[in-house]
Amino acid sequence: MNARRGKPPAGGVGSVRIIAGQWRGTRLPVPDRPGLRPTSDRVRETLFNWLQPVLPDARVLDLFAGSGALGLEAASRGAAQVQLVEADGALAQALGDAVARLDAQGRVAVRHGDALAFLRDDTSEPWDIAFVDPPFAAGLWPAVLELLPARLAADAWLYVESPAGHAPDLPADWALHRESGTRDVRYALYRRVTLPGILNAANP
């Protein structure tokens, strides 16, 4: 989903572009749906500059995919596998169409359904990178951040987007790597770490 949603053009559909990589310049449609906030080019450029060293061959989970701007940007820049999860049926259909148009079915999967249900049901290999940018009004950060760690690799990276001035509480084993913001949005990248105290307690 992600940063501010600008006013769509006549017809109710806008677009965002993939910034770099294999599909650089490709436009992704943005249907006029409640709560949809495609991340701005500037925010995505900053985020993927942070992530670029770890993107090649990574397994990426985009839990509130919306327009697909984050997940498809990750695939364009070299991620090995990307899972897009979207609860809105129209958005999920648009994501499927975009994946087919890019001929990306071998690397990008679309799941139409609830993010929390996906986290409870997912039995795949752990994910290396996760994007968490739920509709702000839904307040889903605590529920997602409770379930998500069990589905992530021990050294995973976590991107969280939230309203400006609001930093969701993360479990203690997540360290802030980088953060920035716009007038409306705080965005931050975290790295999963092993706390020395916990490690010592587990290995007396």
Side-chain angles (χ1 to χ4, degrees), residues 1-6 35-44 46-47 50 70 132-137 141 159-168 178-190:
M1 267 229 238
N2 328 315
R4 298 176 62 192
R5 183 184 69 182
L36 181 62
R37 299 166 292 99
T39 299
S40 69
D41 285 4
R42 181 168 68 87
V43 171
R44 279 186 291 128
T46 300
L47 168 62
W50 294 344
L70 289 179
V132 175
D133 177 21
F136 286 177
W141 297 279
Y159 172 73
V160 179
E161 201 165 306
S162 57
H166 172 65
R178 298 281 182 87
E179 68 175 327
S180 189
T182 67
R183 182 182 63 183
D184 301 309
V185 171
R186 174 190 183 266
Y187 56 100
L189 183 65
Y190 297 84

Side-chain angles (χ1 to χ4, degrees), residues 1 5 8 12-13 30-38 66 86-92 94:
M1 267 229 238
R5 183 184 69 182
V13 178
V30 182
D32 187 15
R33 308 294 289 178
L36 181 62
R37 299 166 292 99
E86 176 52 54
D88 184 289
L91 293 177

Side-chain angles (χ1 to χ4, degrees), residues 93-113:
Q93 179 63 53
L95 289 171
D97 293 345
V99 170
R101 178 161 55 93
L102 295 169
D103 194 24
Q105 296 94 329
R107 289 196 293 137
V108 182
V110 178
R111 165 81 172 261
H112 173 211

Side-chain angles (χ1 to χ4, degrees), residues 11-196:
V13 178
S15 65
V16 294
R17 68 185 179 94
I18 295 177
I19 299 169
Q22 179 182 357
W23 303 314
R24 179 180 180 180
T26 298
R27 289 280 174 179
L28 303 172
V30 182
D32 187 15
R33 308 294 289 178
L36 181 62
R37 299 166 292 99
T39 299
S40 69
D41 285 4
R42 181 168 68 87
V43 171
R44 279 186 291 128
E45 186 67 51
T46 300
L47 168 62
F48 284 97
N49 284 342
W50 294 344
L51 282 176
Q52 193 56 51
V54 298
L55 262 179
D57 300 323
R59 285 173 48 78
V60 176
L61 175 60
D62 188 354
L63 277 172
F64 302 90
S67 67
L70 289 179
L72 291 174
E73 184 79 39
S76 180
R77 293 177 182 240
Q81 294 290 327
V82 176
Q83 175 69 64
L84 306 175
V85 181
E86 176 52 54
D88 184 289
L91 293 177
Q93 179 63 53
L95 289 171
D97 293 345
V99 170
R101 178 161 55 93
L102 295 169
D103 194 24
Q105 296 94 329
R107 289 196 293 137
V108 182
V110 178
R111 165 81 172 261
H112 173 211
D114 178 73
L116 297 177
F118 175 86
L119 292 174
R120 295 187 187 102
D121 297 342
D122 182 33
T123 58
S124 66
E125 295 179 21
W127 302 95
D128 302 306
I129 299 169
F131 300 134
V132 175
D133 177 21
F136 286 177
L140 291 170
W141 297 279
V144 170
L145 295 173
E146 179 181 354
L147 293 172
L148 181 59
R151 301 304 317 130
L152 299 181
D155 58 350
W157 296 83
L158 171 61
Y159 172 73
V160 179
E161 201 165 306
S162 57
H166 172 65
D169 291 330
L170 270 72
D173 58 342
W174 290 96
L176 179 64
H177 178 68
R178 298 281 182 87
E179 68 175 327
S180 189
T182 67
R183 182 182 63 183
D184 301 309
V185 171
R186 174 190 183 266
Y187 56 100
L189 183 65
Y190 297 84
R191 180 76 187 276
R192 197 173 200 174
V193 295
T194 301
L195 299 178

